[in-house]
Amino acid sequence: MCVLGPGSRPASPSRQRDRHQPALTGLCLNGLTILSFCKTPELRTPTHLLVLSLAVADTGISLNALVAAISSLLRRWPYGPDGCQAHGFQGFTTALASICSSAALAWGRYHHYCTRSQLAWNTAISLVLCVWLSSVFWAALPLLGWGRYDYEPLGTCCTLDYSRVDRSFTSYLFTMAFFNFFLPLLITLVSYRLMEQKLKKSGHLQVSTTVPARTLLLCWGPYALLYLYATVADVRSVPPKLQMVPALIAKAAPTINAIHYALGSDTVHGGLWQCLSPQRSQPDRAR
């Protein structure tokens, strides 16, 4: 996703580096999650496949932010028009996949804790395919003419062009926002609410039921508000520094997700520890 909003001024190199530390943190944490899944057999379960899908999406968001950081330091976009379209498409695909993967995880946890049955591989694979195919579909539509990707005014990154208010943009935005933000948010809220109601009575509530929905709402809600505002008013009336806020907040999502789903899980945490200290894991397996 674009780091600088339309009309904003590039910061000094030192401030740009400070701003992109969350992207580096998210990249490292989610990279370790992917590595642990590949190297730890205990993590190769249907439920953890959903965690892997989220980690891959969040890694893509972090990489997209780092490309934008390099362009911001150069004070120009060095990759040409085709690179702009690719950057916008990649960033939007991974952002939508992250949001929808969180909703898939919420449903997967509800299924696991409330039905007391393991999630089947076929179901998990179908969910992951649905998440990524849907994300690619919605992100590809601007390349085909429904909505569009464009340079932000300073030309240092590319994102969905929300300064162009017309019928095509408005129809795409409302449809996309319903299926890729409001519907996943509703699934997340309902899944964790039902899980909380059922498990609180038995005292077996072992996962946080508020962090995932709050992460979606706080990290991606400002983007949704900015885009919806752009459909009814001139977004150029919003101060440039204020337009930067949604992108800066969204960069925190990969780190928060990694801490909650990976570091917050004993199984995944153990897999990460095995990857970081392989000499300890081998004796343990021998036992």
Side-chain angles (χ1 to χ4, degrees), residues 191-252:
S191 296
Y192 282 111
R193 181 61 177 169
L194 292 175
M195 186 166 52
E196 182 180 23
Q197 289 178 347
K198 184 166 186 176
L199 297 183
K200 261 192 173 181
K201 296 178 181 178
S202 60
H204 297 305
L205 188 61
Q206 300 174 348
V207 297
S208 172
T209 58
T210 58
V211 171
R214 288 179 180 178
T215 300
L216 284 181
L217 193 59
L218 295 178
C219 290
W220 299 109
Y223 254 126
L225 288 177
L226 180 63
Y227 285 165
L228 291 176
Y229 179 81
T231 63
V232 297
D234 186 0
V235 74
R236 290 171 294 184
S237 63
V238 179
K241 290 183 178 179
L242 189 58
Q243 292 184 38
M244 293 169 58
V245 172
L248 295 173
I249 295 176
K251 286 193 307 177

Side-chain angles (χ1 to χ4, degrees), residues 1 42 48 106 132 134 144 147 150 158 207 209 221 243-244 248 251 267 280 286:
M1 308 297 285
E42 293 81 5
H48 288 119
W132 283 96
S134 173
L144 302 176
D150 200 4
C158 297
V207 297
T209 58
Q243 292 184 38
M244 293 169 58
L248 295 173
K251 286 193 307 177
T267 307
R280 286 191 56 183

Side-chain angles (χ1 to χ4, degrees), residues 2-284:
C2 183
V3 175
L4 296 177
S8 60
R9 297 179 181 177
S12 64
S14 61
R15 287 190 177 183
Q16 286 292 349
R17 285 191 293 269
D18 291 341
R19 260 178 209 164
H20 291 87
Q21 286 177 356
L24 289 172
T25 303
L27 181 63
C28 292
L29 291 177
N30 286 286
L32 284 173
T33 302
I34 296 171
L35 181 64
S36 67
F37 182 88
C38 296
K39 288 195 170 186
T40 309
E42 293 81 5
L43 295 181
R44 296 170 194 165
T45 65
T47 300
H48 288 119
L49 180 64
L50 301 179
V51 178
L52 176 65
S53 174
L54 180 61
V56 171
D58 286 340
T59 298
I61 293 174
S62 299
L63 287 172
N64 188 272
L66 290 177
V67 171
I70 295 171
S71 301
S72 298
L73 290 172
L74 296 174
R75 308 297 179 92
R76 64 184 180 86
W77 179 258
Y79 310 109
D82 291 339
C84 173
Q85 296 300 306
H87 184 256
F89 171 75
Q90 187 270 343
F92 208 49
T93 298
T94 51
L96 296 181
S98 177
I99 294 171
C100 294
S101 291
S102 296
L105 260 169
W107 182 87
R109 284 184 164 183
Y110 165 77
H111 180 274
H112 174 73
Y113 287 103
C114 293
T115 65
R116 295 298 178 183
S117 59
Q118 293 293 331
L119 189 67
W121 273 108
N122 288 341
T123 303
I125 293 173
S126 297
L127 283 173
V128 171
L129 287 176
C130 181
V131 164
W132 283 96
L133 289 176
S134 173
S135 300
V136 169
F137 170 77
W138 286 103
L141 289 177
L143 300 177
L144 302 176
W146 197 19
R148 70 169 184 170
Y149 300 114
D150 200 4
Y151 299 105
E152 51 89 28
L154 295 175
T156 57
C157 64
C158 297
T159 186
L160 189 66
D161 182 13
Y162 56 85
S163 64
R164 179 185 178 186
V165 181
D166 54 28
R167 184 174 296 178
S168 174
F169 169 80
T170 302
S171 61
Y172 170 74
L173 187 63
F174 276 112
T175 309
M176 181 275 300
F178 173 77
F179 285 105
N180 295 283
F181 178 71
F182 293 109
L183 186 58
L185 180 62
L186 178 63
I187 292 172
T188 303
L189 287 169
V190 171
S191 296
Y192 282 111
R193 181 61 177 169
L194 292 175
M195 186 166 52
E196 182 180 23
Q197 289 178 347
K198 184 166 186 176
L199 297 183
K200 261 192 173 181
K201 296 178 181 178
S202 60
H204 297 305
L205 188 61
Q206 300 174 348
V207 297
S208 172
T209 58
T210 58
V211 171
R214 288 179 180 178
T215 300
L216 284 181
L217 193 59
L218 295 178
C219 290
W220 299 109
Y223 254 126
L225 288 177
L226 180 63
Y227 285 165
L228 291 176
Y229 179 81
T231 63
V232 297
D234 186 0
V235 74
R236 290 171 294 184
S237 63
V238 179
K241 290 183 178 179
L242 189 58
Q243 292 184 38
M244 293 169 58
V245 172
L248 295 173
I249 295 176
K251 286 193 307 177
T255 300
I256 296 173
N257 287 335
I259 292 173
H260 176 67
Y261 291 107
L263 299 182
S265 168
D266 292 337
T267 307
V268 180
H269 185 268
L272 289 173
W273 185 250
Q274 286 186 16
C275 290
L276 294 175
S277 55
Q279 66 276 14
R280 286 191 56 183
S281 63
Q282 291 177 358
D284 291 340

